[in-house]
């Protein structure tokens, strides 16, 4: 065994980390992440919305094809195609809505109970990694997994800290991780 | 509903009273974890978790831990770059948590690069 690290996108939390990194690379100052699971509807949904530079219609058309986008112009590479594949394998789908200057919204659905639906994984680590790597970006995270709700807004945390320490302070990150325990 | 409690944040705020925050760019060492799609698929988040834990244990307040995108060496992921104010930046490749922990102890805390895991010594800097 080379190491204990995964060698593929083994769960949805890694996909979320990857897609939100796209948002921050697109200059987003605020990224909203919504995650919901409804056993009655047998539906798992992820919505990622950012206020980054957005994409024009042509770009949105090609953004899900790993072979059409080119490295010099793309702002999204293999990440979206891989997430779309994961969704399709679980009887779901992916849509992208974007407007230049306004931002991008990615919606992904899965049949929650599908045998090939990837597990959620370690959402807390993804959120903390995003905060560590993008200290200038704010994040809103809300999840409702069959009634179990978590809500997090880094703008509110920053406001409460009043500049006495940063949001990347280990003590603050520990509190954030505690939300997911 | 799981939500951050204002009292907890207040407690942190009070414990920080009187301490001085280093501004971004003032740190002695900057650690960058490469967090592109390739890095994430190869385990970059695990490396970030490991380094965050080491940073917390060390209590160091002059080390900045952050992330960047794909560095164009996808087959060498997971990768980190260490920029030490007093020496050339070092890119470490094909990492796992044990290697990352050793790099933290020897390079970040003691200033001695771990040449066993380094791709190259000296490249672009953003520090």
């Amino acid at each position: 065994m080379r190491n204990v690290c995964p060698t593929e996108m083994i769960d949805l939390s890694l996909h979320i980390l990857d897609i939100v990194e796209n948002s921050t690379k697109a200059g987003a100052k605020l990224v909203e992440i919504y995650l919901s699971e409804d056993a009655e509807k047998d539906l798992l949904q992820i919505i990622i919305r950012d206020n980054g530079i957005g994409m024009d219609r042509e770009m949105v058309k090609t953004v899900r094809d790993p072979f059409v986008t080119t490295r010099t112009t793309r702002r999204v590479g293999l990440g979206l195609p891989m997430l779309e594949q994961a969704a399709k394998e679980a009887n779901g789908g992916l849509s992208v809505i974007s407007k230049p200057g306004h931002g991008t919204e990615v919606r992904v659905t899965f049949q929650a109970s599908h045998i090939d639906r990837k597990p959620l994984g370690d959402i807390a680590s993804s959120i903390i990694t995003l905060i560590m790597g993008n200290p200038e970006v704010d994040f809103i995270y809300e999840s409702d997994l069959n009634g179990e709700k978590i809500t997090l807004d880094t703008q509110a945390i920053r406001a409460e800290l009043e500049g006495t320490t940063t949001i990347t302070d280990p003590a603050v990150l520990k509190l954030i991780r505690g939300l997911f325990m | 509903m799981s939500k951050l409690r204002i009292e907890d944040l207040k407690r942190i705020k009070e414990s920080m009273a009187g301490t001085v925050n280093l501004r971004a760019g003032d740190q002695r060492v900057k650690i960058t974890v490469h967090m592109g799609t390739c890095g994430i698929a190869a385990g970059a988040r695990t490396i970030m978790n490991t380094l965050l834990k080491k940073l917390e244990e060390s209590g160091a307040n002059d080390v900045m831990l952050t992330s960047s995108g794909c560095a164009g060496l996808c087959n060498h992921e997971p990768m980190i770059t260490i920029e030490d104010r007093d020496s050339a930046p070092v890119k470490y490749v094909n990492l796992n948590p044990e290697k990352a922990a050793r790099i933290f102890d020897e390079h970040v805390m003691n200033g001695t690069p771990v040449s066993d895991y380094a791709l190259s010594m000296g490249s672009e800097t953003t520090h």
Side-chain angles (χ1 to χ4, degrees):
Chain A
M1 196 169 74
R2 188 169 68 97
N3 57 44
V4 299
C5 295
T7 50
E8 56 173 318
M9 298 285 180
I10 53 167
D11 59 47
L12 297 179
S13 71
L14 289 174
H15 280 289
I16 291 171
L17 171 59
D18 185 33
I19 301 304
V20 178
E21 287 286 350
N22 288 337
S23 294
T24 65
K25 299 289 179 300
K29 288 287 157 232
L30 177 67
V31 186
E32 299 160 73
I33 305 161
Y34 301 99
L35 179 61
S36 63
E37 184 177 359
D38 186 333
E40 228 162 82
K41 291 182 189 157
D42 198 12
L43 180 70
L44 179 81
Q45 181 165 246
I46 304 168
I47 300 173
I48 295 166
R49 188 184 300 143
D50 71 53
N51 64 354
I53 55 170
M55 295 176 283
D56 58 27
R57 202 171 288 178
E58 275 312 298
M59 188 93 182
V60 172
K61 265 191 214 162
T62 59
V63 83
R64 287 185 283 176
D65 186 339
F67 303 111
V68 171
T69 51
T70 68
R71 190 167 277 270
T72 50
T73 58
R74 79 169 188 212
R75 89 161 179 77
V76 186
L78 275 170
L80 273 177
M82 289 200 292
L83 179 54
E84 182 170 34
Q85 187 184 341
K88 284 182 168 169
E89 283 170 0
N91 208 12
L94 179 146
S95 67
V96 181
I97 305 166
S98 191
K99 200 174 167 192
H102 286 80
T104 301
E105 182 179 303
V106 177
R107 277 175 186 259
V108 205
T109 57
F110 303 83
Q111 183 190 338
S113 67
H114 198 287
I115 190 148
D116 289 324
R117 200 263 293 167
K118 291 186 186 182
L120 281 178
D122 185 358
I123 302 280
S125 285
S126 286
I127 301 292
I128 286 169
T129 297
L130 285 166
I131 292 172
M132 286 299 293
N134 305 281
E136 72 292 348
V137 179
D138 276 304
F139 298 96
I140 292 174
Y141 172 82
E142 285 178 18
S143 63
D144 181 348
L145 304 177
N146 296 311
E148 207 169 298
K149 295 180 182 173
I150 298 175
T151 170
L152 173 75
D153 183 347
T154 60
Q155 298 164 110
I157 296 172
R158 278 185 224 274
E160 191 55 42
L161 291 171
E162 291 177 330
T164 50
T165 185
T166 58
I167 196 156
T168 55
D169 186 307
V172 180
L173 295 177
K174 203 176 242 179
L175 277 187
I176 292 173
R177 190 176 286 279
L179 284 178
F180 294 83
M181 299 296 196
Chain B
M1 169 85 76
S2 194
K3 206 173 174 181
L4 276 192
R5 296 190 324 165
I6 299 295
E7 310 89 83
D8 291 333
L9 289 170
K10 283 214 170 92
R11 198 166 30 77
I12 291 173
K13 196 163 68 179
E14 277 155 20
S15 74
M16 294 307 290
T19 61
V20 180
N21 259 319
L22 289 180
R23 285 170 306 172
D26 282 353
Q27 285 86 358
R28 181 178 56 83
V29 183
K30 179 179 173 185
I31 309 173
T32 304
V33 182
H34 296 265
M35 201 66 66
T37 302
C38 45
I40 293 168
R45 196 187 64 186
T46 312
I47 302 300
M48 178 67 98
N49 280 344
T50 301
L51 292 170
L52 191 56
K53 192 153 175 278
K54 293 293 288 181
L55 182 59
E56 193 183 341
E57 286 167 3
S58 74
N61 71 344
D62 55 356
V63 175
M64 182 185 181
L65 176 59
T66 189
S67 73
S68 71
C70 169
L73 298 160
C74 309
N75 57 326
H76 289 301
E77 299 285 358
M79 286 173 46
I80 62 173
T81 302
I82 302 228
E83 296 170 58
D84 186 331
R85 183 169 292 163
D86 302 324
S87 53
V90 181
K91 270 195 168 58
Y92 291 104
V93 296
N94 303 318
L95 297 179
N96 59 29
E98 292 73 31
K99 289 180 183 176
R102 185 179 156 200
I103 292 164
F104 188 89
D105 290 339
E106 295 181 20
H107 191 167
V108 176
M109 298 311 289
N110 284 329
T112 313
V114 185
S115 55
D116 293 355
Y117 311 144
L119 171 76
S120 62
M121 308 283 244
S123 61
E124 82 285 357
T125 172
T126 59
H127 197 56

